[in-house]
Short mmCIF file of all heavy atoms in Angstrom, two decimals:
data_model
loop_
_atom_site.label_atom_id
_atom_site.label_comp_id
_atom_site.label_asym_id
_atom_site.label_seq_id
_atom_site.Cartn_x
_atom_site.Cartn_y
_atom_site.Cartn_z
N ASN F 1 0.83 -1.21 0.00
CA ASN F 1 0.00 0.00 0.00
C ASN F 1 0.86 1.26 0.00
O ASN F 1 0.56 2.23 0.70
CB ASN F 1 -0.94 0.02 1.20
CG ASN F 1 -2.04 -1.01 1.10
OD1 ASN F 1 -2.46 -1.38 0.00
ND2 ASN F 1 -2.51 -1.49 2.24
N THR F 2 1.91 1.23 -0.79
CA THR F 2 2.89 2.31 -0.80
C THR F 2 3.15 2.81 -2.21
O THR F 2 3.37 2.01 -3.13
CB THR F 2 4.20 1.87 -0.16
OG1 THR F 2 3.96 1.45 1.19
CG2 THR F 2 5.21 3.01 -0.13
N MET F 3 3.16 4.12 -2.36
CA MET F 3 3.47 4.77 -3.62
C MET F 3 4.84 5.40 -3.50
O MET F 3 5.22 5.89 -2.43
CB MET F 3 2.42 5.84 -3.92
CG MET F 3 2.45 6.42 -5.31
SD MET F 3 1.03 7.52 -5.58
CE MET F 3 1.43 8.84 -4.41
N TYR F 4 5.60 5.41 -4.60
CA TYR F 4 6.97 5.90 -4.58
C TYR F 4 7.20 6.96 -5.65
O TYR F 4 6.52 7.00 -6.68
CB TYR F 4 7.95 4.76 -4.83
CG TYR F 4 7.84 3.61 -3.87
CD1 TYR F 4 7.06 2.50 -4.17
CD2 TYR F 4 8.52 3.63 -2.65
CE1 TYR F 4 6.95 1.43 -3.29
CE2 TYR F 4 8.42 2.58 -1.76
CZ TYR F 4 7.64 1.48 -2.08
OH TYR F 4 7.53 0.43 -1.21
N LEU F 5 8.20 7.79 -5.39
CA LEU F 5 8.70 8.70 -6.40
C LEU F 5 10.22 8.58 -6.41
O LEU F 5 10.88 9.01 -5.47
CB LEU F 5 8.29 10.14 -6.13
CG LEU F 5 8.72 11.15 -7.20
CD1 LEU F 5 7.96 10.89 -8.50
CD2 LEU F 5 8.49 12.58 -6.74
N GLN F 6 10.75 7.96 -7.46
CA GLN F 6 12.19 7.86 -7.63
C GLN F 6 12.67 9.11 -8.36
O GLN F 6 12.20 9.40 -9.46
CB GLN F 6 12.54 6.61 -8.44
CG GLN F 6 14.03 6.45 -8.72
CD GLN F 6 14.84 6.19 -7.48
OE1 GLN F 6 14.42 5.40 -6.63
NE2 GLN F 6 15.98 6.85 -7.35
N MET F 7 13.58 9.84 -7.75
CA MET F 7 14.08 11.09 -8.31
C MET F 7 15.56 10.94 -8.60
O MET F 7 16.37 10.75 -7.69
CB MET F 7 13.83 12.25 -7.35
CG MET F 7 12.37 12.41 -6.95
SD MET F 7 12.09 13.87 -5.91
CE MET F 7 13.00 13.38 -4.44
N ASP F 8 15.92 11.03 -9.87
CA ASP F 8 17.30 10.92 -10.31
C ASP F 8 17.74 12.22 -10.97
O ASP F 8 16.92 13.03 -11.38
CB ASP F 8 17.47 9.76 -11.29
CG ASP F 8 17.13 8.40 -10.70
OD1 ASP F 8 17.50 8.16 -9.54
OD2 ASP F 8 16.51 7.59 -11.42
N SER F 9 19.04 12.39 -11.09
CA SER F 9 19.61 13.58 -11.73
C SER F 9 19.00 14.86 -11.17
O SER F 9 18.58 15.75 -11.91
CB SER F 9 19.41 13.51 -13.25
OG SER F 9 20.01 12.35 -13.78
N LEU F 10 18.95 14.94 -9.85
CA LEU F 10 18.30 16.07 -9.20
C LEU F 10 18.99 17.39 -9.51
O LEU F 10 20.22 17.46 -9.62
CB LEU F 10 18.25 15.84 -7.70
CG LEU F 10 17.17 14.85 -7.25
CD1 LEU F 10 17.45 14.34 -5.85
CD2 LEU F 10 15.80 15.51 -7.31
N LYS F 11 18.18 18.42 -9.65
CA LYS F 11 18.64 19.76 -9.94
C LYS F 11 18.27 20.69 -8.79
O LYS F 11 17.39 20.40 -7.99
CB LYS F 11 18.00 20.28 -11.22
CG LYS F 11 18.24 19.43 -12.45
CD LYS F 11 17.50 19.98 -13.65
CE LYS F 11 17.74 19.15 -14.89
NZ LYS F 11 17.00 19.69 -16.06
N LEU F 12 18.95 21.83 -8.73
CA LEU F 12 18.64 22.82 -7.70
C LEU F 12 17.17 23.22 -7.74
O LEU F 12 16.56 23.46 -6.70
CB LEU F 12 19.53 24.06 -7.86
CG LEU F 12 21.02 23.87 -7.65
CD1 LEU F 12 21.75 25.18 -7.91
CD2 LEU F 12 21.32 23.37 -6.25
N GLU F 13 16.61 23.28 -8.93
CA GLU F 13 15.22 23.69 -9.11
C GLU F 13 14.22 22.68 -8.57
O GLU F 13 13.02 22.98 -8.48
CB GLU F 13 14.93 23.93 -10.60
CG GLU F 13 15.88 24.91 -11.27
CD GLU F 13 17.11 24.22 -11.82
OE1 GLU F 13 17.06 23.74 -12.97
OE2 GLU F 13 18.14 24.18 -11.10
N ASP F 14 14.67 21.47 -8.22
CA ASP F 14 13.78 20.47 -7.65
C ASP F 14 13.55 20.68 -6.16
O ASP F 14 12.72 19.98 -5.56
CB ASP F 14 14.35 19.06 -7.87
CG ASP F 14 14.42 18.68 -9.34
OD1 ASP F 14 13.47 19.00 -10.08
OD2 ASP F 14 15.42 18.07 -9.73
N THR F 15 14.27 21.59 -5.55
CA THR F 15 14.11 21.87 -4.13
C THR F 15 12.69 22.33 -3.84
O THR F 15 12.21 23.30 -4.43
CB THR F 15 15.11 22.93 -3.66
OG1 THR F 15 16.44 22.42 -3.79
CG2 THR F 15 14.87 23.31 -2.21
N ALA F 16 12.00 21.64 -2.92
CA ALA F 16 10.62 21.94 -2.60
C ALA F 16 10.14 21.00 -1.50
O ALA F 16 10.85 20.06 -1.13
CB ALA F 16 9.72 21.78 -3.84
N VAL F 17 8.94 21.26 -1.00
CA VAL F 17 8.26 20.30 -0.14
C VAL F 17 7.41 19.43 -1.05
O VAL F 17 6.62 19.94 -1.85
CB VAL F 17 7.38 20.99 0.91
CG1 VAL F 17 6.61 19.95 1.73
CG2 VAL F 17 8.23 21.85 1.83
N TYR F 18 7.57 18.13 -0.94
CA TYR F 18 6.87 17.18 -1.79
C TYR F 18 5.72 16.54 -1.01
O TYR F 18 5.90 16.07 0.12
CB TYR F 18 7.82 16.10 -2.30
CG TYR F 18 8.71 16.59 -3.41
CD1 TYR F 18 9.75 17.47 -3.14
CD2 TYR F 18 8.51 16.19 -4.73
CE1 TYR F 18 10.56 17.95 -4.15
CE2 TYR F 18 9.33 16.66 -5.75
CZ TYR F 18 10.35 17.54 -5.45
OH TYR F 18 11.16 18.00 -6.46
N TYR F 19 4.55 16.53 -1.62
CA TYR F 19 3.35 15.97 -1.01
C TYR F 19 2.81 14.83 -1.88
O TYR F 19 2.73 14.96 -3.10
CB TYR F 19 2.25 17.01 -0.89
CG TYR F 19 2.59 18.19 -0.03
CD1 TYR F 19 3.20 19.31 -0.56
CD2 TYR F 19 2.28 18.19 1.34
CE1 TYR F 19 3.51 20.40 0.23
CE2 TYR F 19 2.58 19.28 2.13
CZ TYR F 19 3.19 20.38 1.57
OH TYR F 19 3.49 21.46 2.37
N CYS F 20 2.42 13.74 -1.24
CA CYS F 20 1.77 12.67 -1.99
C CYS F 20 0.27 12.78 -1.83
O CYS F 20 -0.25 13.28 -0.83
CB CYS F 20 2.27 11.30 -1.55
SG CYS F 20 1.86 10.81 0.14
N HIS F 21 -0.43 12.30 -2.84
CA HIS F 21 -1.89 12.27 -2.85
C HIS F 21 -2.34 10.92 -3.36
O HIS F 21 -1.79 10.39 -4.33
CB HIS F 21 -2.43 13.38 -3.76
CG HIS F 21 -3.86 13.18 -4.13
ND1 HIS F 21 -4.24 12.65 -5.36
CD2 HIS F 21 -5.01 13.42 -3.45
CE1 HIS F 21 -5.56 12.58 -5.41
NE2 HIS F 21 -6.04 13.03 -4.27
N GLN F 22 -3.34 10.35 -2.69
CA GLN F 22 -3.93 9.10 -3.15
C GLN F 22 -5.44 9.17 -3.07
O GLN F 22 -6.00 9.65 -2.09
CB GLN F 22 -3.41 7.91 -2.33
CG GLN F 22 -1.92 7.65 -2.48
CD GLN F 22 -1.49 6.34 -1.86
OE1 GLN F 22 -2.16 5.31 -2.00
NE2 GLN F 22 -0.35 6.36 -1.19
N ASP F 23 -6.07 8.68 -4.12
CA ASP F 23 -7.52 8.54 -4.20
C ASP F 23 -7.82 7.09 -3.82
O ASP F 23 -7.53 6.18 -4.59
CB ASP F 23 -7.99 8.88 -5.61
CG ASP F 23 -9.47 8.69 -5.83
OD1 ASP F 23 -10.17 8.24 -4.90
OD2 ASP F 23 -9.94 9.01 -6.94
N LEU F 24 -8.41 6.90 -2.65
CA LEU F 24 -8.59 5.56 -2.11
C LEU F 24 -10.05 5.28 -1.77
O LEU F 24 -10.80 6.18 -1.42
CB LEU F 24 -7.76 5.37 -0.84
CG LEU F 24 -6.25 5.61 -0.96
CD1 LEU F 24 -5.60 5.53 0.41
CD2 LEU F 24 -5.63 4.60 -1.91
N THR F 25 -10.42 4.00 -1.87
CA THR F 25 -11.73 3.54 -1.46
C THR F 25 -11.57 2.69 -0.21
O THR F 25 -10.92 1.65 -0.24
CB THR F 25 -12.42 2.72 -2.56
OG1 THR F 25 -12.61 3.53 -3.72
CG2 THR F 25 -13.77 2.21 -2.08
N ASP F 26 -12.15 3.16 0.89
CA ASP F 26 -12.07 2.49 2.18
C ASP F 26 -13.48 2.31 2.72
O ASP F 26 -14.21 3.29 2.88
CB ASP F 26 -11.23 3.32 3.15
CG ASP F 26 -11.07 2.67 4.51
OD1 ASP F 26 -11.16 1.43 4.59
OD2 ASP F 26 -10.84 3.40 5.49
N TRP F 27 -13.86 1.06 2.98
CA TRP F 27 -15.22 0.75 3.44
C TRP F 27 -16.26 1.38 2.50
O TRP F 27 -17.22 2.02 2.94
CB TRP F 27 -15.44 1.19 4.88
CG TRP F 27 -14.82 0.26 5.86
CD1 TRP F 27 -13.62 0.40 6.48
CD2 TRP F 27 -15.37 -0.99 6.32
NE1 TRP F 27 -13.38 -0.68 7.30
CE2 TRP F 27 -14.44 -1.55 7.23
CE3 TRP F 27 -16.56 -1.68 6.07
CZ2 TRP F 27 -14.66 -2.77 7.87
CZ3 TRP F 27 -16.77 -2.91 6.70
CH2 TRP F 27 -15.82 -3.43 7.59
N PHE F 28 -16.00 1.21 1.22
CA PHE F 28 -16.92 1.62 0.15
C PHE F 28 -17.01 3.13 -0.05
O PHE F 28 -17.83 3.59 -0.85
CB PHE F 28 -18.32 1.04 0.38
CG PHE F 28 -18.31 -0.43 0.70
CD1 PHE F 28 -18.57 -0.88 1.99
CD2 PHE F 28 -18.03 -1.35 -0.29
CE1 PHE F 28 -18.55 -2.24 2.27
CE2 PHE F 28 -18.02 -2.71 -0.01
CZ PHE F 28 -18.27 -3.15 1.28
#
């Protein structure tokens, strides 16, 4: 139940706060 973001060749411009979002169905 885990989502990932693999980030390669990072640049200075990638600096930020990263947020994940998931659309989930729980108990219908």
Side-chain angles (χ1 to χ4, degrees):
N1 290 331
T2 301
M3 191 173 66
Y4 303 94
L5 183 68
Q6 178 67 43
M7 304 184 294
D8 298 320
S9 301
L10 283 162
K11 303 176 180 180
L12 295 178
E13 306 88 86
D14 296 319
T15 295
V17 177
Y18 284 72
Y19 299 89
C20 66
H21 163 260
Q22 295 190 42
D23 177 357
L24 303 174
T25 298
D26 181 26
W27 283 98
F28 312 107

